[in-house]
Amino acid sequence: MKKFKFELEKILEFRDFEKKQAEVELAKALAVETEIQNNLKEIANQYATLDKYMNGSLSFDDMISMSQNKNLLNYQKEELLNQLAEAKLVSEQKRKILAECMKKTTALEKMKELQLAQYKEEVKRAENKRLQEIAASKISSEISAST
């Protein structure tokens, strides 16, 4: 009996490749999100450090410097929040693409499993038929030899 061959194997391989690419793209998008979140945490730390430094200071120059620094930190924070919102949108798009790729790949894998199961069943039936033929010919030859 011929060896099992899934006719859509090349398509399945291509879908697997697409899925892996989608996983890589999602990982990149999530890395961007993480980097932005880390930058936001750093700004929060800078706020805390600035407040700690200015606690109790009555110098007018210190107050102006603190105000300018806080304005700068606020601007940076707003920019990062905008970037984070955009990054989350990109990540969501990448998740949808990955989900679609996974769906296509899963469908082909199930089809391959079904075809493999059918192939194994056919092989089993063919073997049983062959064994029955061998047994029948052996019985027939024994009957011929005894007469």
Side-chain angles (χ1 to χ4, degrees):
M1 183 140 224
K2 65 180 182 177
K3 187 177 176 182
F4 174 73
K5 183 174 185 329
F6 183 56
E7 284 102 25
L8 302 175
E9 189 66 37
K10 293 288 183 187
I11 295 172
L12 178 58
E13 289 172 5
F14 177 71
R15 297 284 189 218
D16 278 335
F17 174 76
E18 280 184 324
K19 184 176 87 170
K20 287 176 184 165
Q21 289 297 107
E23 288 170 348
V24 168
E25 291 298 318
L26 177 59
K28 287 178 183 177
L30 292 175
V32 168
E33 270 188 55
T34 302
E35 183 180 344
I36 293 169
Q37 288 171 340
N38 288 340
N39 289 340
L40 284 168
K41 287 177 186 175
E42 180 60 33
I43 287 176
N45 288 339
Q46 289 176 4
Y47 262 117
T49 302
L50 189 59
D51 284 342
K52 189 176 187 180
Y53 174 75
M54 291 307 297
N55 194 14
S57 176
L58 298 176
S59 166
F60 183 71
D61 289 337
D62 287 345
M63 296 286 188
I64 290 176
S65 176
M66 182 179 85
S67 176
Q68 289 174 340
N69 284 337
K70 280 192 174 186
N71 286 341
L72 177 61
L73 290 175
N74 280 332
Y75 174 77
Q76 290 174 339
K77 180 181 78 170
E78 290 301 316
E79 284 296 313
L80 287 173
L81 288 173
N82 289 335
Q83 290 175 11
L84 182 60
E86 289 176 19
K88 285 187 180 286
L89 289 174
V90 169
S91 294
E92 190 57 34
Q93 289 173 340
K94 301 296 182 185
R95 274 189 191 89
K96 287 178 183 177
I97 291 170
L98 177 58
E100 188 63 31
C101 288
M102 290 174 76
K103 193 186 306 182
K104 289 176 183 177
T105 303
T106 303
L108 283 172
E109 287 170 346
K110 286 182 181 180
M111 187 183 297
K112 182 178 180 178
E113 288 173 14
L114 286 172
Q115 286 183 8
L116 181 60
Q118 289 172 345
Y119 169 79
K120 286 180 179 180
E121 188 62 35
E122 287 175 18
V123 167
K124 189 176 181 180
R125 269 190 253 124
E127 282 181 19
N128 286 339
K129 184 178 178 184
R130 188 163 181 251
L131 289 173
Q132 288 173 352
E133 289 172 355
I134 291 171
S137 76
K138 195 170 195 178
I139 290 172
S140 143
S141 65
E142 287 176 5
I143 292 175
S144 307
S146 66
T147 51

